[in-house]
Amino acid sequence: MTFKLHRIVCNTHAWQKPSPGRFHAPGVGGNPQKQGFGLEDWNFNLGMADADGWIYGFTQARWGRVQGAGPVNVMMATYEAGRWSAVGCYLAAERVDGTQIPQDIRHRRANDIRQMAPDHWDQTLVPSEIIMNSANYLRSKCTNIRHFPKPVPLPPSLSPKLARYSTSYNLAESDFYGILDVAFADGAQDGDPDFDPSWPEGRIFYATHRRRERNPAVVQAFKASLASFACSCCGFDFRAAYGELGNNYIEAHHTIVVSDMPPGHETKLADLIAVCANCHRMIHRQLPMLTQQQIRQRLGLSQADHAPLPRWTSPLPQG
């Protein structure tokens, strides 16, 4: 598998639709007026999937021999004020020509442009046919697209010296998944202590960026109901190792990927497992993420070895 870093244009709508500034910015407005907006503007709009679940994205990188014989993992990043920041990625992406994009997707994107275009813009120059006039498209299944909750600043060791749109930069596999680890680490363990007995999750909201929100109350309830704080994968016990400092400490892992949750999804305690930090990182080390049993097998443990204690003391905590 090949791992790449591609620069994409910044977008104030989290790559759900074109930014209004694209119509006015000096040196930018003229080009879209001639060639359309079929660039990065919809890269993370999962509502633009075709009937088979493919999302068609874009980067300006010259692929060359990048594609090879198999799919490519593409990390997408912006470059502003001298800093690279990863904003999302396509896993197992395929290179495609714009002509392969279904006509209904073209029309929907064209309508996005027409609805937000200023009055002085010549809309006759934005037919849907030219929106897809490019060979720099890639596609990936909805389930293989990750839009980061917030941008991840890249360290100097991973930041290309030249901020080119046209260059396809190489990434090591460990660095690619390391960025993913950082992107989804924040807010996964603790949060607001206020208890919500229904635990609605997966709600989509918009701020500066688009993300799916986890309800921290379910994590609090899960930890409060644990009969043992030992790792359910390897058996490590923080209290046994660190004494009072490690008392009642453990991380909670959601076995259902949050991006797979429909709006209104209600998480159950059985959907979480107690894991130590090491096992938690290894679970998310690859995609699709590893299961509890797969981690145990990699540690040479059978199902009977170091069997975890019951994960909760009651079926559901009462409000």
Side-chain angles (χ1 to χ4, degrees):
M1 183 73 75
T2 302
F3 298 85
K4 289 291 183 175
L5 174 68
H6 289 183
R7 182 183 177 186
I8 62 174
V9 173
C10 296
N11 184 287
T12 57
H13 289 311
W15 297 273
Q16 303 297 304
K17 61 181 180 180
S19 298
R22 294 284 295 277
F23 292 94
H24 306 285
V28 176
N31 186 58
Q33 192 145 254
K34 294 178 181 178
Q35 299 184 14
F37 273 81
L39 305 178
E40 300 97 321
D41 297 304
W42 295 270
N43 273 9
F44 296 108
N45 187 338
L46 301 186
M48 287 287 180
D50 67 13
D52 296 318
W54 289 102
I55 292 290
Y56 295 83
F58 177 90
T59 71
Q60 296 183 46
R62 297 170 183 169
W63 288 80
R65 291 179 291 178
V66 170
Q67 181 68 1
V72 180
N73 290 332
V74 180
M75 185 67 64
M76 299 183 188
T78 59
Y79 182 79
E80 290 186 283
R83 169 175 286 187
W84 284 87
S85 296
V87 296
C89 64
Y90 278 30
L91 303 172
E94 301 176 0
R95 181 181 178 183
V96 296
D97 185 271
T99 59
Q100 296 176 247
I101 301 176
Q103 189 68 21
D104 67 310
I105 303 298
R106 301 186 190 191
H107 286 311
R108 289 165 62 188
R109 295 186 179 188
N111 286 335
D112 277 354
I113 296 172
R114 294 188 177 98
Q115 289 174 9
M116 64 187 300
D119 293 338
H120 70 269
W121 229 64
D122 186 354
Q123 297 197 19
T124 63
L125 297 178
V126 196
S128 61
E129 288 74 19
I130 64 172
I131 291 179
M132 303 300 162
N133 187 20
S134 174
N136 285 47
Y137 279 87
L138 62 159
R139 70 176 188 176
S140 185
K141 290 288 189 178
C142 285
T143 53
N144 287 336
I145 291 177
R146 302 290 183 268
H147 185 202
F148 297 165
K150 59 183 179 181
V152 177
L154 300 184
S157 60
L158 298 184
S159 299
K161 294 182 179 179
L162 299 176
R164 292 173 174 168
Y165 287 107
S166 60
T167 302
S168 181
Y169 300 100
N170 293 317
L171 267 183
E173 179 179 359
S174 59
D175 292 332
F176 186 95
Y177 287 116
I179 294 171
L180 278 175
D181 284 343
V182 173
F184 293 102
D186 291 344
Q189 323 309 327
D190 301 300
D192 192 328
D194 294 337
F195 180 67
D196 180 355
S198 63
W199 301 310
E201 295 201 83
R203 177 169 57 88
I204 299 176
F205 72 94
Y206 289 85
T208 305
H209 49 265
R210 176 180 183 271
R211 58 170 286 188
R212 287 185 181 269
E213 181 185 28
R214 283 210 186 273
N215 190 326
V218 67
V219 175
Q220 294 291 326
F222 171 74
K223 292 183 178 181
S225 63
L226 287 173
S228 168
F229 283 82
C231 176
S232 62
C233 291
C234 69
F236 182 82
D237 189 304
F238 283 91
R239 181 178 175 83
Y242 297 100
E244 188 63 27
L245 178 65
N247 188 42
N248 293 342
Y249 182 82
I250 198 68
E251 295 185 4
H253 167 64
H254 292 70
T255 58
I256 300 177
V257 180
V258 69
S259 59
D260 292 340
M261 294 178 180
H265 173 85
E266 293 188 0
T267 296
K268 301 177 181 178
L269 291 181
D271 295 333
L272 282 76
I273 59 174
V275 291
C276 67
N278 282 350
C279 289
H280 205 177
R281 290 294 176 268
M282 292 301 102
I283 286 173
H284 290 283
R285 195 70 178 84
Q286 68 180 48
L287 294 171
M289 63 186 182
L290 297 174
T291 65
Q292 179 192 55
Q293 185 56 27
Q294 287 173 324
I295 291 292
R296 293 175 67 86
Q297 290 173 349
R298 287 171 181 263
L299 293 172
L301 300 174
S302 67
Q303 189 64 32
D305 292 333
H306 303 290
L309 294 173
R311 288 177 290 163
W312 52 82
T313 55
S314 60
L316 286 174
Q318 301 299 314

